[in-house]
Amino acid sequence: MLPHPSRPFARLAVVMLVTGVLLVAVLTGLVVRYRAALRAEVHQKIIERDAAVLYPVALEQLAESGISLQDPDDTPNVSDILTSVLKKLQGMWAVTIFDAEGNPIQFLPPSLLLAEIPPADFPRLLAMERVSHYHPEFPLDRYFAAIGGPPEQRQIPMLEVLLPLPGRDASRPIGFVQYYIDASPIARDLAVIDRSIDLQTFVTLGIGVVLIAAIMLAAYVGLNRAQRVIVEHTARLTHANFELTLAAKASALGQITSHLIHGLQGPVAGLRAVVTGRAADKVNAAEDWQTAANYTERMQAMIQETVALLSDSGSQTAYELSGVELANTVRQRNAPLAAQKGVDLVVEPGFAANVDSHRGGLLCLIATNLVENAIAATPAGRAVRVSLNHRDGFVTLVVADRGPGIPEAVRAHLFKPGRSGRPGGSGLGLAISQLLARQIGGELVLESTGPAGTTFSLKSPLPA
């Protein structure tokens, strides 16, 4: 089967488009995942930056208390040591001091309502780790008393920093300090960083999409060129196969026609003798008519055998041809004869639907026979028109000439062997064409004839 010329390329375009979309989707997923990981890592570094800055400040405040933690004879009051850390810094909302058990000792300001160490952070503090949490929408009214104003002013960016305070044993804390710091500068820094990461993400995606599109386009062009070459080669091979099939059938048709003529001579002579002798011999009339019936049955069997020899039903090779290819074949096969006669051969383009090789071959043989008759009947300088149409499940072949028309005496026996409207004609062409038409479920019909020309038509069903 020959596919429609545009179908392989349309399928290739769809495959390449789907592949490109999948590659873009994979690239987008990877870039977005990397963006999220990079954003989280950068955010964490920015948030931990303040904790790293505050830790030496807290140790310095502890040292300024005047109590030496390295003196084994000195047993300082832990509460006094932690209180020395309790100095409010700029931009700080609250400071809370906890003992080694995590109990709050002192805090500022007094309006702080909730002072506690999150349970998930306590093991990390015991291991002398610094902990930072960024709260983009910190609810002030939940943690501080006397907070008024509209709801949007009661939520601000807040940085929570938890620091362990070392004692004589640097591996064990003697307490902890918790800071609540205004994180508006951090929020601005994070917003700038997010915009920069988003821009880099979009640029990376844009470059990736352009590269993928370029690669897919190059691949499509290469595959399209290769597929076009394959389709052209396949079309040429199929057409050559079809031409060889038609040539074989045409060759067989000459032999079969000769066989048919030779075989008809005996039965026709016998029928003539029977009919002639019937009037002279009344006694043997019944037997003679039986002989005539036998001759008739023999002729019918020979005709059916002839049609069977032309059939492709027993062939193992099957392919399909479009109506356009059938029309081109009819034009190519009859153009030399038309040019030799000086007749203009006009063949309409045909139709896009496909027909099987058996049906197409017989249609070509019938069309060739009709076109040859039409060219022979048409004077030089005039036109023979051929059309192949497909509508409502039927294929219609129409051949029209501009000849003088078929004599009325011949019309009644037009499709019978031996009756020809041309001088020297055998009368077999239309008879065989009618038999071939019936092999594909059609009927060859004389549509019109007269001084303006003759038109034959064949209507055959086209299986879905």
Side-chain angles (χ1 to χ4, degrees), residues 159-175:
L159 179 64
E160 178 186 1
V161 179
L162 291 164
L163 301 175
L165 298 175
R168 292 186 176 89
D169 185 358
S171 63
R172 296 181 62 185
I174 59 173

Side-chain angles (χ1 to χ4, degrees), residues 171-250:
S171 63
R172 296 181 62 185
I174 59 173
F176 314 99
V177 58
Q178 181 185 53
Y179 296 94
Y180 284 108
I181 307 170
D182 184 4
S184 297
I186 295 179
R188 289 191 293 269
D189 292 343
L190 294 180
V192 172
I193 291 172
D194 287 346
R195 284 194 297 270
S196 177
I197 293 176
D198 290 341
L199 178 60
Q200 294 178 9
T201 300
F202 292 142
V203 170
T204 303
L205 279 178
I207 294 175
V209 170
V210 170
L211 290 177
I212 290 175
I215 294 172
M216 297 307 296
L217 180 60
Y220 172 76
V221 171
L223 292 175
N224 189 24
R225 185 181 298 112
Q227 192 168 29
R228 190 179 299 277
V229 172
I230 293 173
V231 169
E232 291 175 355
H233 287 177
T234 303
R236 285 199 291 268
L237 288 174
T238 303
H239 185 72
N241 186 30
F242 184 62
E243 286 289 341
L244 289 175
T245 302
L246 287 181
K249 288 184 178 181

